[in-house]
Amino acid sequence: MIYLPTIKQLQYLVALHRTRHFGKAAEACYVTQSTLSAGLRELETLLGVTLVERNRRVVRFTPLGDAVVQRAWRLLAEADSIAELARAAGKPLASELRLGVIPTIAPFLLPSLLPKLRAQWPELKLFLREEQSGPACEALSRGQLDCLLLALPYNCGEIEAEPLFDDPIRFAFHPDDLPNPPPMVAPDGIDEARLLLLEDGHCLKDHALAACSRATFRPDQTVLGTSLHTLVQMVENRIGMTLLPQMAIDAGILANTSIQTRPLASADARRTIALAWRPSSPRAEEYRLFAQALKEARAGQPREAALRSA
């Protein structure tokens, strides 16, 4: 009899490969570290090979381990597509949905949307995962996420996307740094030496640079922040100026600060918030319905009875 690896063992293996940490991998798989370690030892015993070199400081995969992980990703994606096919055959928005959200959207959009979604779709079991655009797109392509809330333009690979709304990008400054601000700020009037941006990995940094549309702009000379909240505190303390999405401003990120904002005189001073999914997903129609639900929840409009019963 041929003993084959189990789905659970392969899930443990790819989680460890992604995190390179036994504790984090166990947390991602919702098991204890001892359970994950035992599962991986059983897998290695079953295959009769060493997949992971273990010591106290690092987790290192053997060349064979790396090769097994690549095939494990494909097997898990196929297994997930089976479950996804079954969910697609059921009632729309009445099962689990694993939604990825990037950090410059999640804290500003979800608090107002989630209560409305719960009220309109009480059977929907929404599991949220906040992650930067690159890792989130990778998780989507590998089947770890069902769909993703992201900001376009962004190269997220092969996806289908439904635009939800445009999010303008505004120039934010301390009034003492710009005593007589114009109604609109021209990008070529921004002092690049004082412009604060998010660190690499946040797509909003690219959107901000596109909004500036300056060929000579050198972002490596700017100060980088880890989050929009950090940038706001830096501007409040007159360390520099920054660019903020309207979504964050509407959510109150500037509350209890002296910071003022102005629109940018640039056609590129905006990003498009969209819901994305894999084009091959059998639940594509359900995701389109979810995108419509997100649009209407943001607009505060009640859902139509016909749509609820679809």
Side-chain angles (χ1 to χ4, degrees):
M1 175 183 251
I2 299 177
Y3 293 94
L4 298 176
T6 66
I7 294 294
K8 186 63 68 177
Q9 289 170 340
L10 295 180
Q11 287 175 327
Y12 293 167
L13 185 69
V14 298
L16 182 63
H17 191 272
R18 178 166 52 85
T19 62
R20 305 290 171 148
H21 189 280
F22 277 89
K24 292 178 181 177
E27 184 179 348
C29 294
Y30 303 101
V31 297
T32 64
Q33 185 170 330
S34 60
T35 297
L36 182 133
S37 297
L40 291 175
R41 283 195 298 269
E42 290 172 0
L43 175 61
E44 290 179 318
T45 300
L46 173 70
L47 298 177
V49 296
T50 299
L51 302 174
V52 184
E53 298 176 15
R54 303 163 175 84
N55 63 45
R56 292 183 178 180
R57 289 185 296 179
V58 297
V59 173
R60 183 179 294 109
F61 276 70
T62 65
L64 179 60
D66 285 326
V68 170
V69 165
Q70 295 308 311
R71 286 163 175 78
W73 278 119
R74 293 197 290 269
L75 284 171
L76 291 174
E78 288 299 320
D80 185 75
S81 68
I82 294 173
E84 194 175 21
L85 187 63
R87 289 192 293 267
K91 183 180 177 183
L93 299 182
S95 61
E96 295 182 0
L97 194 154
R98 299 166 300 173
L99 176 65
V101 194
I102 63 173
T104 57
I105 292 179
F108 311 114
L109 184 65
L110 295 184
S112 62
L113 257 60
L114 290 180
K116 299 174 184 177
L117 289 173
R118 280 196 298 266
Q120 297 296 337
W121 303 97
E123 296 178 84
L124 176 64
K125 300 177 182 66
L126 200 58
F127 295 92
L128 300 175
R129 175 172 166 176
E130 184 176 323
E131 208 159 27
Q132 290 184 4
S133 300
C137 288
E138 183 178 350
L140 180 65
S141 68
R142 287 180 166 176
Q144 295 173 289
L145 294 174
D146 296 318
C147 49
L148 171 63
L149 268 175
L150 80 167
L152 301 176
Y154 185 81
N155 184 9
C156 196
E158 190 177 354
I159 60 169
E160 186 170 345
E162 177 69 25
L164 304 180
F165 58 92
D166 282 342
D167 187 26
I169 296 174
R170 294 176 66 93
F171 183 66
F173 57 92
H174 193 284
D176 291 341
D177 290 334
L178 200 63
N180 298 300
M184 297 186 72
V185 175
D188 57 7
I190 297 176
D191 182 1
E192 67 182 53
R194 301 210 63 210
L195 184 63
L196 311 174
L197 296 176
L198 287 174
E199 61 186 1
D200 290 340
H202 292 277
C203 63
L204 183 59
K205 178 184 177 182
D206 296 328
H207 297 147
L209 293 176
C212 290
S213 60
R214 291 167 61 184
T216 59
F217 193 84
R218 291 176 288 179
D220 57 324
Q221 294 187 351
T222 63
V223 178
L224 304 179
T226 57
S227 70
L228 290 180
H229 289 90
T230 300
L231 291 181
V232 166
Q233 291 306 311
M234 295 167 76
V235 174
E236 176 69 2
N237 286 279
R238 302 189 63 189
I239 296 174
M241 307 172 186
T242 194
L243 299 171
L244 295 176
Q246 185 69 51
M247 176 194 303
I249 298 170
D250 292 343
I253 196 171
L254 299 183
N256 302 315
T257 73
S258 304
I259 297 173
Q260 297 179 8
T261 70
R262 291 291 187 275
L264 281 170
S266 169
D268 296 319
R270 63 183 60 251
R271 58 181 187 163
T272 299
I273 309 303
L275 183 72
W277 58 87
R278 295 180 301 279
S280 60
S281 174
R283 300 175 71 189
E285 287 303 318
E286 186 176 9
Y287 300 149
R288 292 189 186 94
L289 185 64
F290 184 57
Q292 185 64 27
L294 289 171
K295 290 179 186 179
E296 295 184 4
R298 184 174 185 270
Q301 298 173 352
R303 302 197 56 77
E304 298 294 333
L307 190 56
R308 271 202 304 269
S309 62

